[in-house]
Amino acid sequence: ENIIKKNATYASTAEAADVLAGLYLERGEKEKAAKTASAGLRLLKYLDIKTPYLETLLRGRLTGDAKKLYDRAGKLCKEDKWTEAGKLFMQVRTNYPKSTWSHTAGYQIGRCLVGLGRHRQALDYWKSFINEQPAGPWRGQAHVAVIDVALEKLLDRSEEQTSELQAHSFNSY
């Protein structure tokens, strides 16, 4: 804690932030852990130091709970408990919007709607998901899912063709 409080601008300070964040997590102090890990990441950015290993460790301190929620939701999907899984995926999106798990959870929410037989709602959800960040992670998979659901469940060729054209436009980047 003393190293962090001194605001020293060394790479070792970011390493100390990782260790301290881990200790906070072990004690159940998630908010302190998140603040400490965030401070370590900001320091690395400020110093313009490229340390993928340390960055991954610090980001892991921020997303540990997101991954746990995501994994629990995934298990519920395998048990066809779509409503419960969808709620957990939504928690990942709401509580950890900057987590790498947020994007994949966003895609999985649509899968849960399909699992519940709510095909039109799934299409609408995926369109919204795609529109929030068109070139973002998991958007290509969402386009494919829109095509699949439109063809297999709703036989709506206009939906399939629109998403197919949009999916092709991603390949041109």
Side-chain angles (χ1 to χ4, degrees):
E1 288 179 335
N2 289 335
I3 294 171
I4 306 298
K5 288 179 183 176
K6 288 181 184 180
N7 289 324
T9 54
Y10 306 107
S12 60
T13 306
E15 292 171 6
D18 174 59
V19 172
L20 183 58
L23 292 172
Y24 282 144
L25 284 173
E26 286 177 17
R27 295 193 317 217
E29 299 177 65
K30 295 176 186 176
E31 190 172 318
K32 282 184 175 182
K35 285 181 181 180
T36 304
S38 292
L41 287 168
R42 282 192 311 273
L43 178 63
L44 290 174
K45 186 175 181 178
Y46 172 77
L47 295 174
D48 197 27
I49 297 174
K50 305 293 181 216
T51 57
Y53 177 72
L54 183 55
E55 288 175 28
T56 300
L57 289 175
L58 287 165
R59 281 195 180 88
R61 305 290 188 203
L62 294 173
T63 61
D65 288 340
K67 182 175 179 355
K68 288 177 188 173
L69 276 176
Y70 182 88
D71 289 345
R72 280 188 17 221
K75 288 179 185 175
L76 290 169
C77 286
K78 290 177 183 175
E79 298 169 6
D80 292 333
K81 295 181 179 177
W82 301 109
T83 301
E84 297 89 341
K87 287 178 182 177
L88 290 180
F89 286 133
M90 188 61 74
Q91 282 182 19
V92 172
R93 298 269 300 159
T94 303
N95 297 340
Y96 307 96
K98 295 185 179 181
S99 162
T100 55
W101 296 101
S102 178
H103 295 287
T104 184
Y107 168 76
Q108 298 297 342
I109 291 168
R111 277 194 55 232
C112 290
L113 290 168
V114 169
L116 290 168
R118 297 180 183 170
H119 303 109
R120 174 59 54 195
Q121 194 176 355
L123 288 179
D124 293 340
Y125 172 79
W126 275 321
K127 286 184 204 173
S128 172
F129 175 69
I130 292 165
N131 287 334
E132 82 181 24
Q133 193 178 355
W138 287 87
R139 276 29 178 218
Q141 291 88 334
H143 278 294
V144 171
V146 166
I147 294 167
D148 286 345
V149 170
L151 285 175
E152 293 178 18
K153 306 295 183 190
L154 301 175
L155 296 174
D156 187 343
R157 294 284 302 166
S158 65
E159 295 285 353
E160 177 259 335
Q161 290 169 344
T162 300
S163 212
E164 183 178 18
L165 288 172
Q166 290 174 340
H168 282 295
S169 70
F170 282 111
N171 291 333
S172 63
Y173 287 111

